[in-house]
Amino acid sequence: MVTVDLNCDLGESFGAWRMGDDDALLPLITTANVACGFHAGDPQTMLATCRAAAALGVTVAAHPGYRDLVGFGRRDIAMAPDALRADLLYQVSALAGLAVTAGTAVRALKPHGALYNRAAVDPVTAAVVAEVGAERGLPVLGLAGSAMEHACAAAGTPFIAEAFVDRGYRPDGTLAPRGEPGAVLTEASAVAARAVRMVREGRVEAVDGTALSVRVQSLCVHSDTPGAVAIARAVRDALLEAGITVQAAA
């Protein structure tokens, strides 16, 4: 039986600012990566998202990022390892406490945005993420073959290989920066077909047409991608029609 997790970054509203249609997305996914308040989210949103996930049997993952509300965590910030470790522990611990109140638990860790991208290529940042995962007993979601995977192996932290259905890849296997042509994919049927190929064939086409090999245990749909709900629904339906079981990886 072929299985794959379908994850989505949620809980990213902040105060009066609304981001994404969490209510429509939650029934379509198996893992909710919940923002922890530094790049997006606030305590009330975090608690509500955990409660909604618990009611639907959706796994909760911590989604910490840089302290960057203005930039939505997508601006790269150089941090000393000790400072980054403390920030990550603070965010994960806050969500873990709220998750318990909501009747669930944090079961995985996925860095957000610029932190994710830096940890994919920078061994020092990756080591901090892996160590926090180990300390909290959480598997880490990240790009297969990246610095994050190598750091998790060194730290003894379980690793979940992730691929992005709605984001373009560079020929080196990293994500194309937002704003570049082909970096964000919005056509639901094309994204769904891409997702099935990723899982069934372990292949994806880079923005320049290069054929890349991908190892996939979890597929990500971004909640702020235009048409995210239609994309998530199309991806889930296509996976099921292809005989692929959609279930949480952690």
Side-chain angles (χ1 to χ4, degrees):
M1 182 175 66
V2 179
T3 67
V4 72
D5 177 37
L6 186 57
N7 79 75
C8 188
D9 305 341
L10 299 179
E12 293 179 326
S13 296
F14 181 80
W17 175 46
R18 301 291 93 188
M19 173 64 82
D21 190 347
D22 290 8
D23 290 341
L25 285 164
L26 268 169
L28 302 172
I29 64 172
T30 49
T31 298
N33 312 312
V34 182
C36 300
F38 274 25
H39 77 274
D42 56 45
Q44 186 174 357
T45 299
M46 292 160 67
L47 180 58
T49 306
C50 287
R51 282 178 171 154
L56 292 168
V58 173
T59 289
V60 172
H63 195 45
Y66 288 130
R67 197 188 299 259
D68 180 29
L69 283 172
V70 173
F72 196 61
R74 288 180 175 155
R75 298 184 294 185
D76 191 33
I77 299 175
M79 294 185 67
D82 286 349
L84 177 60
R85 177 177 175 275
D87 273 10
L88 294 182
L89 285 170
Y90 182 94
Q91 293 177 78
V92 174
S93 299
L95 183 67
L98 292 170
V100 170
T101 300
T104 185
V106 172
R107 303 194 185 280
L109 167 63
K110 176 186 169 181
H112 168 80
L115 175 59
Y116 185 105
N117 292 335
R118 180 183 276 253
V121 298
D122 175 30
V124 175
T125 302
V128 174
V129 173
E131 288 162 9
V132 170
E135 289 176 22
R136 298 293 311 191
L138 301 174
V140 171
L141 277 79
L143 287 175
S146 67
M148 263 199 287
E149 179 167 15
H150 299 315
C152 284
T157 306
F159 182 81
I160 299 170
E162 179 182 38
F164 294 82
V165 299
D166 56 1
R167 291 295 314 281
Y169 284 80
R170 285 175 162 173
D172 64 0
T174 60
L175 296 180
R178 291 174 181 271
E180 289 189 1
V184 179
L185 309 176
T186 60
E187 208 289 303
S189 61
V191 172
R194 188 173 189 251
V196 172
R197 187 184 183 207
M198 283 177 164
V199 178
R200 280 289 183 194
E201 302 177 23
R203 307 288 283 177
V204 67
E205 189 174 285
V207 291
D208 69 344
T210 301
L212 302 177
S213 296
V214 288
R215 180 164 55 84
V216 184
Q217 294 168 285
S218 185
L219 293 170
C220 177
V221 176
H222 287 92
S223 63
D224 64 333
T225 296
V229 175
I231 291 171
R233 184 176 292 112
V235 167
R236 185 183 180 97
D237 289 347
L239 292 170
L240 295 175
E241 288 171 10
I244 299 165
T245 300
V246 181
Q247 66 180 36

